[in-house]
Amino acid sequence: MSIAVQLKPIETFRDDYTFSNSPEAIRRFPFPFPEDHYMYSVNIEPHVRGAPGSVYEAVFDTDEHYLSEMEDRRLVLEEDPQRCIVLPHMMDAQWDTLELLMENLAADYPQLFTLARDGSRWSWENKPLGIRHTFTFGDASTLPYGPFEYITRQAQGDFALLDQRDDDLFMDGGMVTTQADWSLAVDAGMSFIEWHAPVPVAHELGVFERALKFLLNLQIGKPVRRLNWTMTINPRLDTSPENYHRWGKDRATVTLENAGRLAHLRVELQTLFRLPRSNAILFGIRCYLISIDELATIPKWAKRMHRVLKTLPAPLVDYKGLTRYRDTVVRYLAPLDDGAALSHGTGPE
């Protein structure tokens, strides 16, 4: 398979915020609401290839924002190297991750990435970033970073390594620079239920207990996925607790006049892969951003977004950090919603 992708020049996710989506990127955005109301659910499905052009076409989606996201990751790591943490016992999982990402990126995007193997001698080329290395698989000293950090510096989205032991999953590694208000430094070493402890309502519904039971039985070669969402003011990828002083105040800047430009829907395509050597799970968290104005170019999405936000339960509004501006965005979207019935599903009409 060869998937064509046209990379945009570097745009910014901070300061002057030059990030924007092309019309093609808007059409392929993973809009997460199939119905007019939202409530937590396990919503896990097989991670199989989707329609050409969709975010599900490749195993690891690479899109027009590749250069921009890799540059933002570089900036975050330069300021805070602890955004990449891997506990010592996870070395097999590091090599598993490198192999999985290199094989799939090279297979899906041969115009961007190439991988050649001669026994344990591997040659990797990342053309967009100008990277070319020959290294010995299994010998971390032949790479400029640990295997996990090396490859996740070159792949869009965050990644966490989940070690399975004692009938539980533990977050024992990660590359996390595009997170929605959670901290790898805090969650590293925590169990599945522990790192989900702050989420309201879902515990009462038994969502996490069912999800953990399912994931403990995840099979090699049968990855799964789900969508999650929140909102962000300005197209800022790094909304980490460590930098809350930089972005938290933005929530108070939303007005009826600027809501369409400042408020962004933030969707995470979460994928989970069983890794062959380590028996760990690679948890990919791919973030997509779209402004309300961009989203509103799809009339069905504007109407559904209005209805979902308007009826969102108060505990979820608070947990997702929308309290200061949810009502303003609802008022902004209201004139775009004629109340007509919408078809089930997430695609544009």
Side-chain angles (χ1 to χ4, degrees):
M1 172 172 288
S2 177
I3 302 172
V5 56
Q6 186 67 44
L7 305 184
K8 295 175 73 173
I10 292 176
E11 299 175 317
T12 57
F13 298 96
R14 57 186 68 205
D15 302 325
D16 57 352
Y17 296 108
T18 61
F19 167 88
S20 67
N21 288 296
S22 69
E24 293 76 19
I26 294 173
R27 296 286 296 183
R28 73 191 302 272
F29 187 83
F31 189 72
F33 306 121
E35 301 173 332
D36 290 348
H37 304 275
Y38 173 80
M39 178 46 67
Y40 285 125
S41 64
V42 176
N43 69 315
I44 293 175
E45 63 180 5
H47 184 41
V48 294
R49 293 186 185 276
S54 74
V55 300
Y56 306 121
E57 183 178 12
V59 177
F60 295 99
D61 184 43
T62 297
D63 67 12
E64 65 182 22
H65 304 301
Y66 178 78
L67 291 173
S68 304
E69 293 191 24
M70 294 302 93
E71 174 61 10
D72 198 71
R73 169 153 295 161
R74 187 191 68 77
L75 292 171
V76 172
L77 290 170
E78 184 176 75
E79 183 176 79
D80 184 3
Q82 290 302 301
R83 299 298 189 86
C84 182
I85 298 172
V86 186
L87 300 186
H89 66 279
M90 300 297 284
M91 183 54 77
D92 281 349
Q94 292 200 49
W95 287 109
D96 279 336
T97 302
L98 178 142
E99 179 181 47
L100 183 67
L101 280 163
M102 283 188 176
E103 284 185 341
N104 282 287
L105 290 174
D108 284 340
Y109 304 100
Q111 79 279 24
L112 303 179
F113 311 102
T114 60
L115 175 65
R117 287 181 282 196
D118 181 10
S120 62
R121 291 293 286 175
W122 290 27
S123 294
W124 168 254
E125 183 175 11
N126 179 326
K127 297 172 186 174
L129 296 183
I131 293 172
R132 191 171 187 174
H133 282 119
T134 296
F135 61 96
T136 301
F137 188 89
D139 183 355
S141 69
T142 60
L143 286 171
Y145 303 99
F148 179 80
E149 180 172 353
Y150 177 77
I151 194 58
T152 56
R153 278 177 175 262
Q154 302 177 52
Q156 287 175 270
D158 287 344
F159 297 89
L161 288 174
L162 313 182
D163 191 33
Q164 182 165 330
R165 59 183 185 272
D166 302 329
D167 291 328
D168 208 338
L169 296 171
F170 295 84
M171 189 177 292
D172 286 349
M175 169 67 86
V176 179
T177 67
T178 69
Q179 70 271 50
D181 202 10
W182 67 280
S183 170
L184 176 64
V186 171
D187 289 0
M190 283 188 178
S191 71
F192 187 85
I193 297 299
E194 286 174 337
W195 84 68
H196 285 110
V199 183
V201 181
H203 291 279
E204 291 82 347
L205 297 174
V207 169
F208 295 125
E209 288 75 10
R210 294 199 301 276
L212 175 60
K213 184 177 180 180
F214 179 88
L215 293 176
L216 289 174
N217 292 289
L218 185 65
Q219 301 297 304
I220 295 172
K222 296 182 178 179
V224 297
R225 69 184 178 221
R226 67 185 294 270
L227 293 178
N228 195 14
W229 73 277
T230 186
M231 295 187 71
T232 298
I233 301 307
N234 291 312
R236 185 177 184 92
L237 279 178
D238 176 25
T239 53
S240 59
E242 289 89 342
N243 283 326
Y244 182 79
H245 61 287
R246 295 176 177 170
W247 57 267
K249 60 182 182 295
D250 294 343
R251 294 171 172 175
T253 64
V254 180
T255 67
L256 198 57
E257 288 69 35
N258 65 24
R261 177 172 53 86
L262 293 189
H264 285 67
L265 176 62
R266 182 187 191 100
V267 173
E268 295 176 349
L269 170 57
Q270 301 179 347
T271 52
L272 297 110
F273 300 80
R274 176 70 71 187
L275 299 176
R277 297 174 185 80
S278 58
N279 198 43
I281 290 176
L282 177 67
F283 180 24
I285 311 164
R286 178 75 157 78
C287 176
Y288 297 84
L289 294 168
I290 189 169
S291 72
I292 292 299
D293 278 345
E294 290 175 334
L295 182 146
T297 61
I298 309 292
K300 174 183 173 181
W301 290 357
K303 297 175 185 178
R304 180 147 287 158
M305 189 75 199
H306 171 245
R307 299 172 194 183
V308 167
L309 285 179
K310 187 176 180 180
T311 58
L312 194 65
L316 273 62
V317 173
D318 186 52
Y319 171 69
K320 290 180 178 292
L322 315 184
T323 306
R324 280 183 172 268
Y325 61 87
R326 189 273 300 261
D327 290 348
T328 303
V329 177
V330 169
R331 289 170 57 205
Y332 183 85
L333 287 169
L336 305 179
D337 186 358
D338 60 5
L342 299 176
S343 62
H344 182 83
T346 59
E349 294 285 14

